[in-house]
Coordinates of all heavy atoms in Angstrom, one line a residue:
V101 N -49.4 -18.7 24.6 CA -48.6 -18.5 25.7 C -47.7 -17.3 25.4 O -47.7 -16.9 24.2 CB -47.6 -19.7 26.0 CG1 -48.4 -20.9 26.5 CG2 -46.8 -20.0 24.8
G102 N -47.0 -16.6 26.4 CA -46.2 -15.5 26.1 C -44.9 -15.9 25.4 O -44.6 -17.1 25.4
K103 N -44.3 -14.9 25.0 CA -43.0 -15.1 24.3 C -42.0 -15.8 25.2 O -41.2 -16.6 24.8 CB -42.4 -13.9 23.7 CG -43.2 -13.3 22.5 CD -42.5 -12.0 21.9 CE -43.3 -11.6 20.9 NZ -42.7 -10.3 20.2
T104 N -41.9 -15.3 26.5 CA -40.9 -15.8 27.4 C -41.1 -17.3 27.6 O -40.3 -18.1 27.7 CB -41.0 -15.0 28.8 OG1 -40.7 -13.6 28.4 CG2 -40.0 -15.5 29.7
K105 N -42.3 -17.6 27.9 CA -42.8 -19.0 28.2 C -42.5 -20.0 26.9 O -42.0 -21.0 27.1 CB -44.3 -19.1 28.6 CG -44.8 -20.4 28.9 CD -44.2 -21.0 30.1 CE -44.6 -22.4 30.5 NZ -44.0 -22.9 31.6
A106 N -42.8 -19.4 25.8 CA -42.5 -20.0 24.5 C -41.1 -20.3 24.4 O -40.6 -21.5 24.0 CB -43.0 -19.4 23.3
G107 N -40.3 -19.4 24.7 CA -38.7 -19.6 24.6 C -38.3 -20.7 25.7 O -37.4 -21.5 25.3
E108 N -38.7 -20.6 26.8 CA -38.4 -21.5 27.8 C -38.8 -22.9 27.4 O -38.1 -23.9 27.6 CB -39.0 -21.2 29.2 CG -38.6 -19.9 29.8 CD -39.5 -19.5 31.1 OE1 -40.5 -20.2 31.4 OE2 -39.1 -18.4 31.7
M109 N -40.0 -23.0 26.8 CA -40.5 -24.3 26.5 C -39.5 -25.0 25.3 O -39.3 -26.2 25.4 CB -41.9 -24.3 26.0 CG -42.9 -24.1 27.0 SD -44.5 -23.6 26.5 CE -45.0 -24.8 25.3
L110 N -39.2 -24.0 24.4 CA -38.4 -24.5 23.2 C -36.9 -24.9 23.9 O -36.3 -25.8 23.4 CB -38.2 -23.5 22.3 CG -39.4 -23.3 21.2 CD1 -39.2 -21.8 20.6 CD2 -39.4 -24.5 20.3
R111 N -36.4 -24.1 24.7 CA -35.1 -24.4 25.3 C -35.1 -25.8 26.0 O -34.2 -26.6 25.9 CB -34.7 -23.3 26.1 CG -34.1 -22.1 25.5 CD -33.7 -21.1 26.4 NE -33.5 -19.8 25.7 CZ -34.5 -18.9 25.6 NH1 -35.7 -19.1 26.2 NH2 -34.4 -17.8 24.9
A112 N -36.3 -26.0 26.8 CA -36.3 -27.3 27.5 C -36.4 -28.5 26.6 O -36.0 -29.5 27.0 CB -37.6 -27.2 28.4
E113 N -36.8 -28.2 25.4 CA -37.0 -29.4 24.4 C -36.0 -29.3 23.3 O -36.1 -29.8 22.2 CB -38.4 -29.3 23.8 CG -39.4 -29.6 24.7 CD -39.5 -30.9 25.5 OE1 -38.8 -31.9 25.0 OE2 -39.9 -31.0 26.7
G114 N -34.8 -28.6 23.7 CA -33.7 -28.6 22.7 C -34.1 -27.9 21.4 O -33.4 -28.0 20.3
G115 N -34.9 -27.0 21.4 CA -35.3 -26.0 20.2 C -36.3 -26.8 19.2 O -36.6 -26.2 18.2
D116 N -36.8 -28.0 19.7 CA -37.7 -28.7 18.9 C -39.1 -28.2 19.1 O -39.7 -28.5 20.2 CB -37.6 -30.2 19.1 CG -38.3 -31.0 18.2 OD1 -39.4 -30.6 17.7 OD2 -38.0 -32.1 17.9
V117 N -39.7 -27.5 18.2 CA -41.0 -27.0 18.3 C -42.1 -28.1 18.5 O -43.1 -27.8 19.3 CB -41.4 -26.0 17.2 CG1 -41.6 -26.7 15.8 CG2 -42.5 -25.2 17.6
V118 N -42.1 -29.1 17.8 CA -43.0 -30.2 18.0 C -42.9 -30.8 19.3 O -44.0 -31.0 19.9 CB -42.7 -31.2 16.8 CG1 -43.7 -32.5 17.0 CG2 -43.0 -30.7 15.3
R119 N -41.8 -31.1 19.8 CA -41.6 -31.7 21.1 C -42.1 -30.7 22.2 O -42.8 -31.1 23.2 CB -40.2 -32.0 21.4 CG -39.8 -33.3 20.7 CD -38.4 -33.8 21.0 NE -37.7 -33.3 22.2 CZ -36.3 -33.3 22.4 NH1 -35.7 -33.8 21.5 NH2 -35.9 -33.0 23.5
A120 N -41.9 -29.4 22.0 CA -42.3 -28.4 23.0 C -43.9 -28.4 23.0 O -44.5 -28.3 24.0 CB -41.8 -27.0 22.5
M121 N -44.5 -28.5 21.8 CA -46.0 -28.6 21.8 C -46.5 -29.8 22.4 O -47.4 -29.8 23.2 CB -46.4 -28.4 20.3 CG -46.2 -27.0 19.7 SD -46.7 -27.0 18.0 CE -48.3 -26.3 18.3
R122 N -45.9 -30.9 22.2 CA -46.3 -32.2 22.8 C -46.2 -32.1 24.3 O -47.1 -32.6 25.0 CB -45.5 -33.4 22.3 CG -45.8 -33.8 20.8 CD -45.1 -34.9 20.4 NE -45.5 -35.3 19.1 CZ -44.8 -35.9 18.2 NH1 -43.5 -36.3 18.4 NH2 -45.3 -36.2 16.9
A123 N -45.1 -31.5 24.8 CA -44.8 -31.4 26.3 C -45.9 -30.6 26.8 O -46.5 -30.8 28.0 CB -43.4 -30.9 26.6
F124 N -46.3 -29.4 26.2 CA -47.4 -28.6 26.6 C -48.7 -29.4 26.7 O -49.4 -29.2 27.7 CB -47.5 -27.4 25.7 CG -48.5 -26.5 26.1 CD1 -48.2 -25.4 27.1 CD2 -49.8 -26.4 25.6 CE1 -49.2 -24.6 27.5 CE2 -50.8 -25.5 26.0 CZ -50.4 -24.6 26.9

Side-chain angles (χ1 to χ4, degrees):
V101 296
K103 288 182 181 180
T104 303
K105 181 66 176 177
E108 290 172 0
M109 291 167 55
L110 283 166
R111 286 182 194 91
E113 298 300 331
D116 187 330
V117 71
V118 174
R119 283 179 27 195
M121 292 177 93
R122 286 183 179 151
F124 181 84

